[in-house]
Structures are given as structure tokens and as C-alpha cells.
Amino acid sequence: MPDYPIIAIIDIGSNSIRLQVAQSLEKSYRIIQDYREILRLGDCVFSKGYIDGQTAELFYKNMEVINNLIQNHKATIIRAVGTAALRDAQNAYEIVKTTKEGFGIDIEIISGKEEAYYNFLAVLYNFDIKNMNALTIDIGGGSSEIVISQKGELVDSYSTLLGCTRLKH
């Protein structure tokens, strides 16, 4: 049996942080670890403009747990992405730098357009939309991503600053 790689994906959103560790298979994958914690980074960012010390400390504690899970599963491919809260945080660079220095994990802060594209890929993978026109909307904590597709092909995508956490502030 081939030695398939173990992949770790970290999604740092406005409401939660999530890790999925999966083993890549020939034409599929097998999830071997799923971790999710509600952090509410967006509460801080959307009210203050930055991630405060207490919230950053909670974030780093979760990154320590995530890093331990990644090491325990011997993941060889790691991808960490930050979305709306990190896009907007005045101190995002400091958070990203401290995470890299402390845990060796690079966080890529992705654009709203890229976030919309990944949402489209998730819909395409999970639903048979190849023979239809579709409008998909992902309402997150800090933003909403809108994707228009025709017959399984992306036509256009948008990211708005409309998110359920952002609306509270």
C-alpha cells in the first residue's frame, strides 16, 4: 500500500478556529482528526480594530493544541488560512509572526475573493451542480461570500463585509 501524505488544514475565522487532519488517498481522503474551538476573534477585531492580549492568549493556547495534534498525526503538509477577522485586525502581522515563531505554522491571510473560491470548490465537491446554474452564499462571522456558477463553472464571486459577528458591532 502506498504511503499517502497526512495533511493538516487550519481555518482561522471570525467565530472559530478549526483543524482537520486527513490522510490523502488515491482519489479521496480520510479525515483522522477534527478539532474546533469557538474563539470569537471577530468580537475583538470588529469592536476594537485589533486582537487584544486576552484574546491573543486564547488564540495561542488553541494553536498549541492544534500544533500538538498536527505533530501527533505526523502531518507533512500544513495549510493555515485566516479570513475576515485577520484581514481586518490592525495587529494581524504580529499574530501571524508570533504563530510562526512559536509553532512553526505559517498563516496565510486570504482575500475575500479567495475565500469565495474555496467555498465554491466545497460546493462543487459536495453537490452535483455540473448541470445547473447556482448561486451560493456563505454567511460567516466577518464576511459573506457570494458565488455565481453556471454548469459547474465559476462565473463570478464577491465578498462583502456582511457577517453575523460584524453586525453586532
Side-chain angles (χ1 to χ4, degrees), residues 22 86 98 132:
L86 283 177
T98 302
M132 63 179 72

Side-chain angles (χ1 to χ4, degrees), residues 15-28:
N15 286 319
S16 65
I17 185 169
R18 184 170 184 193
L19 164 73
Q20 273 198 339
V21 180
Q23 182 171 31
S24 175
L25 303 173
E26 197 165 313
K27 293 184 180 181
S28 186

Side-chain angles (χ1 to χ4, degrees), residues 17 29 48 52 70 74 101 105 149 153:
I17 185 169
Y29 62 92
K48 300 176 183 179
D52 65 24
I70 289 169
K74 296 178 175 60
E101 290 170 354
I105 296 172
S149 62
E153 297 292 324

